[in-house]
Amino acid sequence: MKTVDEKGTKALRNTASTATLEMVAARAGVSPSTVSRVLNGTAVVSSVKRNAVGAAIAELGFVPNPVARGLAGGRTLSVGVVAPSIDSPFYGVVLRGIEEELSRAGYSPLIASSRFDATEEQHCIEVLRSRRVDGIILLDGGLSVRVLRAHAKVLPMVITGRHLKAPNLCGLHFDNIEGGRLATQHLIELGHRHIAFITGDARHPDANERLAGYCAALKEAGLELNPALVIPGLFHEASGLAAVERLLDSGERFSAIFAANDQMALGAALGLHRHSMRIPQDVSLVGYDDIAIALYSTPPLSTVRQSGYEVGQLAAAAMLKMVAGEKPLVKLPPPKFIARESTCAAVDA
Amino acid sequence: MKTVDEKGTKALRNTASTATLEMVAARAGVSPSTVSRVLNGTAVVSSVKRNAVGAAIAELGFVPNPVARGLAGGRTLSVGVVAPSIDSPFYGVVLRGIEEELSRAGYSPLIASSRFDATEEQHCIEVLRSRRVDGIILLDGGLSVRVLRAHAKVLPMVITGRHLKAPNLCGLHFDNIEGGRLATQHLIELGHRHIAFITGDARHPDANERLAGYCAALKEAGLELNPALVIPGLFHEASGLAAVERLLDSGERFSAIFAANDQMALGAALGLHRHSMRIPQDVSLVGYDDIAIALYSTPPLSTVRQSGYEVGQLAAAAMLKMVAGEKPLVKLPPPKFIARESTCAAVDA
DNA sequence: CTGAAAGCGCTTACAG
DNA sequence: CTGAAAGCGCTTACAG
């Protein structure tokens, strides 16, 4: 981290809030309206005046005040983001992707946390709207399509985790079925026949789709689905740990575990460790998401990559398109299996 | 995640932006000035009018528009937060602490990421100020005291990772020396005599203080400091992994490793695993911070707890005090050693 | 292509 | 204790 001193002090002086649009107008010898027009490209302005305004802006170091813009009915250059949790390994990088993409365009995110509760989520949206955000990005919310549509009547909405294509409403959705299939296929190819699956929170579409992918892969391979090997989880580490305990208690035979996300896989890894079962020698383990720490778990976790950073970036880019009045065209990358060290060939293959 | 439907649609109607202060004034039969006064408690208002206003507010479901407030020179009820990174396991929960504390008081955080760069940090501050935030919380920045003081002249600042007590400026700082000492003492008490230390980024005060604590504990125990056992790290997993490789290459004898943060400890754990060294049987390992995943690493990591959530909460609370014109009184909890399963008695004790 | 004017929703001296 | 008025910094019809 570099140290800023003289530089910082200097920057302090010509701070954004000093110059106003009115001062720019005076300096350029035009009316405030004209300045506003060149700023927003909202009308054709003669090149002479346009240049004069440009020069005045540069000389004064003028930066439009987003607050005033917001009040005047224009854009606030801010977009609301409601995340179920701001400090999860997955949503954290999604937020980073959003923040970077947005700030590159001069926009700021206004982040609110719904704590995995739809009522809170609704409240967050209201708060954000009262702050005049130009649009709202919802990360995996629990709101119905009807409610979403209603919001989209008022301002552009981007929502992840769902397929949706209504006016002013854009859904970003990974192919979780394919991802679930990929992970399961990998295990099957390694010779595993008894593959346990730790589900995610069933209220989450992603969770059910990954399960569907697991089932599909088994079926394609002609393997029977053993319901006793499907253990409910809740997407967090503790539930992964508990799932392994249940699995072991059940006495069912298994040589591999596929957890519906990395956090549960990490919990499962600890559970196996507690019972002195080695990964992957005794049990192969696969997660989902490829969160940052997956690379540094011991052993490094094989997983399905679903880049949170990209989700964030694409969601922000879609929002930027929408506020610009253009149609967003989002194409999410397909899920990809990442083989690391938590999987190996089944011994009883 | 509960599903909201009818409820959501309803909430949509009486959205915050509908009623204005003017409407409240009309309904209560008073002037807008009076409404503003009861809203802000900025002057004594007769109880009759106060009640009338209160009733009107309730009936209309009025919520003041923060944007208008901001423009009018009042508070925006928002505070800027600049974090080196928004998706790190440590800063993530700090942000959550801030968000929860702030939103409880009706404030919203405006989060910007400096990407560990002081120039970026300066830029973030400017952006936040142009957005008229009521104050700024800086997480571990690289700005000089002079620059901070200059900013504090204009708006309240809270900064973590430093001891500072200037007007309008409040520093929150954990006792890292004590924390470093605690971790090292624990290892010494277990009989370890050759304890390696993986440092943090030296440009970070925390890093040096933890090192100082390590040195102090060795000295107190009458152990000599072996410089070859102090390996530079950068606070991320990769550097922890690399540090173990260097340590092993050096041929120095060691039975324990103390990493200046949990992320490096996790990297170190992988490094040891790669060389078939078991934790804690072959090498004891201690981290610092107690990030969420420390509890689920294999084995669960012994560490020094420095609650990021509390840092966030306290920083936000201090800011709330300052914007209210009161003196913040922050008392951080002392660091605490958390013994888990990555440490055990030295075999050659 | 360009200005003057009104207005966004609040706050804050200024007068009572 | 309370109003009328001006103003925060911009945008946007409305007229040319």
Side-chain angles (χ1 to χ4, degrees), chain B residues 109-128:
Chain B
L110 217 44
I111 299 172
S113 165
S114 69
R115 278 145 224 147
F116 295 97
D117 178 295
T119 304
E120 269 297 317
E121 195 180 347
Q122 186 65 35
H123 178 244
C124 289
I125 295 178
E126 281 161 33
V127 170
L128 293 172

Side-chain angles (χ1 to χ4, degrees), chain A residues 21 33-42 53 57 62-64 69:
Chain A
L21 179 145
S33 321
T34 299
V35 177
S36 175
R37 283 177 193 121
V38 342
L39 238 35
N40 301 293
T42 175
V53 169
I57 287 177
F62 170 71
V63 176
R69 276 188 149 163

Side-chain angles (χ1 to χ4, degrees), chain B residues 34-293:
Chain B
T34 299
V35 177
S36 175
R37 284 178 191 118
V38 341
L39 238 36
N40 302 291
T42 176
V44 195
V45 172
S46 73
S47 62
V48 188
K49 303 214 167 189
R50 195 170 348 108
N51 291 152
V53 170
I57 287 177
E59 288 160 16
L60 265 41
F62 170 71
V63 176
N65 179 331
V67 178
R69 276 186 149 165
L71 224 212
R75 321 277 61 177
T76 49
L77 296 186
S78 69
V79 344
V81 181
V82 6
S85 152
I86 113 165
D87 63 334
S88 96
F90 184 72
Y91 293 118
V93 327
V94 175
L95 291 175
R96 180 162 63 87
I98 291 176
E99 199 266 344
E100 291 188 5
E101 187 73 20
L102 246 33
S103 69
R104 205 170 295 144
Y107 274 73
S108 294
L110 217 44
I111 299 172
S113 165
S114 69
R115 278 145 224 147
F116 295 97
D117 178 295
T119 304
E120 269 297 317
E121 195 180 347
Q122 186 65 35
H123 178 244
C124 289
I125 295 178
E126 281 161 33
V127 170
L128 293 172
R129 284 188 44 193
S130 84
R131 289 191 177 275
R132 297 285 194 279
V133 294
D134 295 345
I136 293 180
I137 298 176
L138 247 40
L139 267 24
D140 288 323
L143 264 30
S144 72
V145 178
R146 245 162 53 76
V147 174
L148 291 175
R149 280 231 175 75
H151 281 301
K153 285 214 178 73
V154 191
L155 81 178
M157 308 271 301
V158 168
I159 175 154
T160 67
R162 290 206 231 168
H163 261 130
L164 273 178
K165 201 146 291 191
N168 229 10
L169 186 57
C170 171
L172 257 72
H173 192 48
F174 271 114
D175 189 347
N176 288 288
I177 298 182
E178 177 62 11
R181 179 186 280 128
L182 249 31
T184 312
Q185 277 173 349
H186 173 79
L187 257 9
I188 293 172
E189 280 161 17
L190 286 174
H192 294 280
R193 292 293 169 265
H194 304 283
I195 304 171
F197 180 73
I198 307 178
T199 74
D201 186 329
R203 291 166 298 184
H204 223 103
D206 291 5
N208 305 318
E209 293 160 10
R210 289 171 201 177
L211 171 58
Y214 162 80
C215 296
L218 290 182
K219 192 169 181 184
E220 287 160 16
L223 293 174
E224 208 170 329
L225 173 71
N226 176 357
L229 287 181
V230 176
I231 314 288
L234 289 165
F235 278 144
H236 52 239
E237 293 84 357
S239 65
L241 175 57
V244 164
E245 297 292 352
R246 280 187 55 171
L247 207 46
L248 259 18
D249 282 348
S250 75
E252 290 289 329
R253 182 178 163 202
F254 67 94
S255 66
I257 298 177
F258 169 27
N261 79 355
D262 289 345
Q263 288 176 264
M264 292 194 297
L266 261 24
L270 177 56
L272 294 170
H273 173 78
R274 290 221 183 290
H275 289 274
S276 304
M277 305 183 81
R278 295 161 306 163
I279 302 170
Q281 298 90 328
D282 301 319
V283 177
S284 281
L285 180 64
V286 174
Y288 203 109
D289 283 345
D290 195 19
I291 58 176
I293 201 69

